[in-house]
Amino acid sequence: MIIMLGLKERVRAAGRNSEPEKPRTPPSSSKGFTLGRPQVPDTWGGDEPHILEEHVCLLDCIALDLQEVDIFAAERLPCGKPPESSDLIFPSYSVRRTGENLLKDCCRLELKVERNLDKELSHAVPDMSIHGCLSSVHCSLDLEHYQLIRGLLENNLGEPFEDFLRPYNLQDPSSYTVLSGDVYTSMSFLVDMMDVSLELLDSPTHTEDKRSLARFDFMKSKLLFESFSNGSKSVNLVSHSLLAYDTRCKGPNKSPDRAAGGRHNVFDCILQPSKTGTNRATLQLELHYRSTRDSSCFTVVLNNLRVFLIFDWLQLVRDFLRVPVEKVPGAAEPGQSRPCDASTDPGPATTGAVMPKTVKSGVVTKRSTVPVTQDRCLEVKINVTGTEFVVVEDSSCLDTNAIILKGTTVLTYKPRLLDRPFSGSLAGIEVFSCRLGSEQETALSIIDPVNIQVELCGSPTYQSSSGLLDAFNVEDIPPLLEIQFPTLDIRLSYNDIQLFLAIARSIPTSSSALPSDCESSTEPAATPKDLFRQKTEALIAGQLTHLQDLGFRKEDCKRALIHCKGQLDQAATWLLENAENMAGHARARANSASSNHSAPLSGVEVKAESVCICFIDDCLDCDIPLAELTFSRLYVLQRIGSTQEGNASFTLSGDYFNRELSGWEPFIEPWPCFLSWQQQAAGRIHPPRFKMGIRAKQRLDVNITSVLLEQYNTTKSSWIADYCKEEEQTPQSSPPLPWMGSSVDPPSFVQTRSTATLTCLEQQILSRADVKLSKRRQPFVPYALRNHTGCTMWFATLTTTPTRVALSHSSSADSISDVHGPGTDDTHNVSQWREVLPGEEVPFEFEAREKLRHRQTHELKLHQLLVRVCGWEQVKPVSVDKVGVFFRYAAPDRNSSSNTFSALPPVRVVFSITMEGSARKVITVRSSLMVKNRLDVPMEVRLDSPSAPDKPVVLPPILPSQALAVPLHLTSWRLQARPKGLGVFFCKVPIHWTSVERPGEISSSKRDCQSADFDDSLKHFVWSSKRRTIRSSSAAKRVAGSAKEIYRQPGHTIYLLPTMVLANLLPCDLNYFIKGTSIRGSLKPGKEAVLHPADTSQNMELELLIPPGTQNYVVRMRLYDTNKHLLCLTIRIILRAQGALKILISAPTGLSTRLDNGKADAAGQFEEHELARSLSPLLFCYTDKEQPAICHMSNINVCRPFNVPCLIHTGISVRKGKGRYRDTHIVTFAPRYLLDNRSTHKLAFAQREFARGKGTVNPEGYISTLPGSSVVFHWPRNDYDQLLCVRLMDTPNCTWSGGFEVNKPKSFHVNMRDTLGSCFFLRTEITLKGATYQISFSDTDQLPPPFRIDNISEVPIQCWQHGVADVRLHTEVKADCVLDYACDEPTLPPYLTLTVKGAGSSEVTADMNFFREYNKLYYENFIYIAATHTFSPKVEKRPVGKKRLVSCAELVLDVDTKTQRVILKKKEPGKRSQLWRMTGTGMLCHEGSSPPQSKPAQPRPLDSSLVLDIAGLAAVSDNSFEPLMLRRPDSRRSTTQTWFFSSGMLTCGLPRLVVQVKGGLSGLYDGAEVVLGPDSGLQAPGPEQQFINQKMRPGSGVLSVQVLPDGPTRVLQISDFNQRRMIRSSPSTEQDRGKGEVKKKEPEQELDCSESKLRPQLHSRLLTAAVLNQSSATRLHSRLLTAAVLNQSSATRLHSRVGEPGGGVGISGQQGPRGAVFTTLSGIDVHFTRTAANEVDNQLLGSTQPVMLCVTPSCSDSSVSDSGPALQVNSVKVPSSLMLTDLFKHLMVTARRFTVIIEEKLLLKLLSFFGYGQTEAELEKFDENIYEKPNEESGPPKRYYFENLKISLPQVKLSVFTSHKLPPDLKALKGTLGFPLVRFEDAVINMYPFTRVHPYETQEILINDILKHFREVR
């Protein structure tokens, strides 16, 4: 195919100029062309063009005007084909046009050609100069045209051609570079391009139409090509305006899926000028390329550009440009010819100069030479100035979130400079996020501007001095990459993480663009057989790779694996003995490859003064910093190459931001440390592992405060809640939404589940429609001001420093300028005053939003408010950084005479600063007098002035449990109150708060409100006034002389309380009334009634007399029911204030029917309770204190599910109530057994006695449950064994399981079978919750089996549980198979009995709880003596009848029972007359002539057997034949009774006599007589003489049985006795690979791996590494507790071993997200040991016991040595293939003897610190069904397996000290503990260690076992 150029040519001017021209410079220096080509450096050796200015050159000028230029593709055709009208016909061929035109419209090309006619005399101008102008060109290239043009450029224009020179005698030597050395321009080609567009057309398939992919617009560009006389070339492309467009969604040929409404890219202009560029007139793009004979220089300049990184479009363009050129038939590839030329041509043309190696230092005794090739080096320089790289979150919306990388970069690569081959300067590099619709307003920095220096240093760490033979090449040592920067600040927020995740999901994967994916999308899913084959091929490929690394050919390695049945070690041994090692060739290839592909770097070195990572919480309603991690003086070195190791040194520190104090507090004190790591290769005692070590001279101080924990929990909950909310809002389908592409905020969500593997790039693009926009970040205003003063106020913000504040309160206050004055600076800023109306809330902030967010939080500034209330002067500034309540005095404003409140008194203005939401601070400005309503009705407050009582002011109603601040100007008025809406007047007596003077003092009294109807009904309430403690402050100065003494300032809170509150703490309704009053009513359980008419100043009879002035006390109330049964209630009266009482009525509750030894029924229990018709809780009490407190319950008449006497099993739980229920003991009668079905099957349950023998039939009265439901279970018969059976109802032919106990907490597998013997497992967990045993049944898909039977022998095994007589429960395990197993009868011990399937095998019983090797298992293994020729493996179908071939007869030696002669008969399996066995002396004993043996393990006597012998008495002679028969063993006939197989023949003790048949091949027939005769003497025996032995069963007849641990699974392994050495010597990983392999019959067949061999095992053989003597120093700082380590010079060292590749990270909540962060750690083996003399100190002030925990000092007279670590933790975790299982090799916790000193106050503070007692304890749940409901869990619990679990706490010496004075909060916490503390000292507690072997339980069960052990064992 060729390219044709169609044009109309017009020659404007031609010919030679008659006049000489002036010297002209090259066109590159013409006016208007500012190319800026860099000058040629001096190192190029004077290659600058030489210009002779004194000579005037004569030019030949030609002007060409090419109009209507068109370009199209064509193909050349021979003349024989018929022509078409558009063909171009030539004499020998024709050219036919193919395809469409490349140009959209015909263009015009103007060319000016100037030739230097005096080039033999002067080169002042170029020899040839061409200046062209090209404008308004639109060229479209599809894939075929692009391949054609690219091939044209590669295969045609790049070819060298011979230069025809004039004879030397006619040349001037000075005009040639080779003679004079002067360089001149030989050719100059300049093209001006205006409005030139290049469009790329893409068509995914040949059938689809071509659609536009991209368009590049060269709006104003110039291209200059220059060639010089010394062979160098220069290409320069400059562009003033270059644009790149994504055209996939434009024009008629756009993508069909996008035309149908799919999401498309709205950022079509990929490359455009930057919006923030300073100089718009500069060039945007410059490309300079200079090529010489020995080097090339390439320069790229980008200036003020914005590049949108649309990843899918970039990938499509990359794939388009990387399409390979179609190879011309017959052309050789360059890459293929070069190796041949280099290897076959020994000439100097291909061999470089031979030079000695570089000698750097030392004495060289021998200098070797190496070839030095003259390689061309490429120098590259990249200059990026003011260029922005934009990554958008959603390319379908203009107003989307984006991340922008901006900066100036200069990168230089000069490989000739060996010391510094690469250098880079990144100036002002920054990364920030924004919203493209409002970029400047929403820009938030992620990486602050930083300057980074990058250099590639050539081998700086190599030692400068060495010894002998120090000869090397500097190039042999890879360089080191050095990265340096001063300070790196990284700011990472929640929304930034969400943005990064959304962008990461939009990046197409490499596999998504492969065409094969599109084709494979229509193929069906892979079958399990295909998946198994893939696993097999992967395993074989890995084994072949290992063997090929040893230097053997692939064919030999494959043959070795087949021969050794996949055993890698044996295959390697076979290769060493039988194959040729190609290691020499492989090493040569490796050396040659390493020279060309050596490691580019020796390492990476990073140096930084500081690296700070700031985490920001901008989730939901806040934008506040969380914490900062700072790495100071950071140095990191990572080695790259054969040794993967590195080290780092830094000073670590961490701070968290205290939101309440608006300041940073340290939680990690500065800690210098040194970190080293190394990737270690596999050794003899350990697999490949990653080793890490930490060394530090100082201890690590960590501060943990309650604020830190609270902020952590708050942030975690808010992030998870937002993440889950976004996940729930994810739509199920992806239709086009109306808000897409608009600026309206969509519903917020973030997609959490990763999309499945995409089939093609179009699906990848389309799937992005499922990803919505993240929600818009709302501006966070951190402050709000609320005006509760009742007056208009003004405020202003003030930002100052603590120094100014301190000086303003000192005597030098005059030196500080007034805040209203002009003397403000950057540290003292005052904002404008703003007005706030009464009741209004105004948000405000101190600093405007900055791009470098939260930078001001590190500055030492104070944020204060200036407040001025109408009528008063401005108050002193108040700091709002801290949460709390503050006050300032305000003097009356004397300057405002017209003000109504000019005569106002001075007041106290209170500033209440609270935290609302996550981080918003609300400043409430109010008065210092508060009124709080504790009644259940709204209250009205009236205030009047004593001077003007006729003008009262009524405040808005105060709702219940609400508070109201009295207006600032009314605090000195009289105050009255009344209930609203009850028709009563205000109380006559005002409320006097002035009587309370001392802080903390409380005064209260009762007030009466008269009814408006003037009846006798009164409404009473109690007011209580408490003066708050007001700390002295410098701002609390006297105002206006003695005004403070005249006006008493309030600081009180007035509480409005009801006179009486009645609380019903009974579980039933309560009716009440007060005698003599109209007060009566009914109360629901747990409710309260407020009795307003109750007058506590009078006597009240509530069935008991409550006199006035009653204090706190407890009294008993006696009640009787209608049956005269007594019930005592507890009445607790609490005095809340004077005249305000709260009465709590409670009683013991329970479900009981008989009390006091059955003498009388309990009160309130009637017939409906006996019939179980009432479900409400009942009440009872012990009426006789002299009788024991024992309850009796009678039989309840309930329906019986069985027609037999039924006994109800009931669990009883007794607990004491909490909080206000502390006077009540709650007795709960719950079902004893609760069956919870958590599986996916429908289950049936029955007692074993009723299910026995039923098979698949359900017995009468069975109980069934659906998945996810539970049912109460009672034993139908108590006289039968209480064993439960279960069955799967939805599984066909499933039988009942064995019976198991349910009255002990444990977990186990239940095995059920079908009629075919297949096993079905259920995991059963029995837990005791309260008084109920909850039996949970769950699936075992994610759990390992309890037992596994690995039969790696060659015979089938039959096994059953010992003691199980049912033959149907016998299980067969075929050869080379694996079977999961669980006990059929859980009540029987786990003993398994084994036997080989078939008669004549012994039995072996193995205990699965003990790991050891058991007795050998013997089985009878006789042999057949077969005629080899009659067994042909090549014939697949055997003919039958008379036409049966001899090769298919399968004839063996048989014995005629009448004559005892040996004949040939057809092989019949199991026929005893054809079976033989060979003794140790070589005799062939006939099995059919002896009785069967019952015990094969015992040797059989030879006297009872007949052996093979000849019929004659003498030996065979004269080449005669002697028939074979059976005889008694006789030592005298040893020569004819001794046999052995040799060379495929059966011979006896006599030489050259073999067993054969007469007649040659024709004698091989059924019934032929077998004789002993001479051999043929030939090298290969004849068919009639070939006899071999065939085993009746495979194997040796002796099996080895052993029990091995494999994680939580106990493995019963059966192997052949001859294989046990191989099994023991191979690691378990090889066992797993070789398990279940089938023995091969042909060595040439393919290697086969069964599924059992590839079965993933839970853990492999564990190698315990040596644990070094390590020590750690950890100090815990808080206000309460300090853990001090005495050995402060100790260090911490952490060893990690990675046994398998794997990794990843993730966080997941139980009820929250399914994939917030997902973590997988594979093959982690961690050893951690702490050794130090630990001590925990008591940091409470005034404590008498400074130490809380310490190591008990050893006594001098003690004989027991107490040395060693104080606390040692040794744990080894191994990989697990199950997500719900964690495997540990061992966990051992060992401690020395400790002394614990508990102080009551410290203990309570610690409990409060960790959140104990913060839950609501006032409400008790009287739910009678609480124990019938299973716990709602998010999923199955995780289980933990330990081979060894040991916790050793030998002795604890305990002392307890009580505290006398406790704060109120600690007193309340102490009341919730439920037990009192008793003072004692030095109580010695000796405890046995907790030890468990192979436990596999949940965390709850393990913890309960540990606690139970240490509670019970002493």
Side-chain angles (χ1 to χ4, degrees), residues 1323-1364:
R1323 184 68 180 184
T1324 304
E1325 285 195 30
I1326 305 174
T1327 56
L1328 181 60
K1329 296 185 177 181
T1332 302
Y1333 281 102
Q1334 181 173 335
I1335 302 100
S1336 302
F1337 299 89
S1338 58
D1339 296 329
T1340 59
D1341 299 337
Q1342 296 295 326
L1343 298 177
F1347 306 121
R1348 191 178 72 244
I1349 303 174
D1350 291 355
N1351 183 13
I1352 59 178
S1353 66
E1354 300 178 5
V1355 292
I1357 299 296
Q1358 195 171 25
C1359 67
W1360 63 92
Q1361 188 178 4
H1362 185 69
V1364 176

Side-chain angles (χ1 to χ4, degrees), residues 1863-1881:
D1865 57 338
L1866 297 184
K1867 284 185 178 179
L1869 179 60
K1870 180 180 178 181
T1872 62
L1873 293 179
F1875 60 90
L1877 291 180
V1878 181
R1879 180 187 177 95
F1880 60 87
E1881 297 184 23

Side-chain angles (χ1 to χ4, degrees), residues 56 175 215 264 267-268 291 370 444 548 552 592 611 809 931 957 1010 1075 1112 1216 1375 1394 1446 1449 1537 1566 1825 1831:
V56 179
S175 62
R215 189 179 80 248
H264 60 276
F267 302 97
D268 53 351
S291 175
V370 294
L444 296 175
Q548 285 178 325
F552 297 98
S592 61
V611 175
H809 297 316
V931 180
Q1010 181 67 38
K1075 289 184 178 180
N1112 299 334
K1216 187 177 182 181
L1394 304 175
V1446 178
Q1537 291 184 356
D1566 194 349
N1825 298 324
N1831 293 335

Side-chain angles (χ1 to χ4, degrees), residues 108-212:
R108 180 178 179 180
L109 176 62
E110 297 180 0
L111 295 177
K112 295 180 181 179
V113 183
E114 297 178 354
R115 292 191 302 160
N116 185 6
L117 301 180
D118 294 341
K119 62 180 180 180
E120 304 296 339
L121 302 176
S122 174
H123 296 285
V125 295
D127 295 349
M128 175 70 73
S129 177
I130 303 175
H131 185 191
C133 181
L134 186 63
S135 62
S136 301
V137 178
H138 187 100
C139 179
S140 299
L141 287 181
D142 58 7
L143 202 56
E144 296 179 358
H145 291 159
Y146 170 73
Q147 289 178 315
L148 177 61
I149 295 177
R150 184 175 169 184
L152 179 66
L153 296 176
E154 290 182 359
N155 300 325
N156 293 275
L157 298 185
E159 294 181 354
F161 58 90
E162 185 179 358
D163 189 10
F164 297 96
L165 301 178
R166 299 173 61 184
Y168 285 99
N169 54 0
L170 300 179
Q171 301 178 15
D172 185 5
S174 63
S175 62
Y176 289 91
T177 303
V178 69
L179 300 177
S180 63
D182 298 331
V183 180
Y184 58 87
T185 305
S186 59
M187 181 179 179
S188 176
F189 183 76
L190 175 64
V191 179
D192 294 335
M193 294 182 293
M194 299 294 294
D195 193 13
V196 176
S197 299
L198 176 62
E199 185 177 6
L200 304 181
L201 302 179
D202 185 21
S203 58
T205 59
H206 297 286
T207 58
E208 295 184 11
D209 297 334
K210 298 177 182 178
R211 59 195 186 197
S212 181

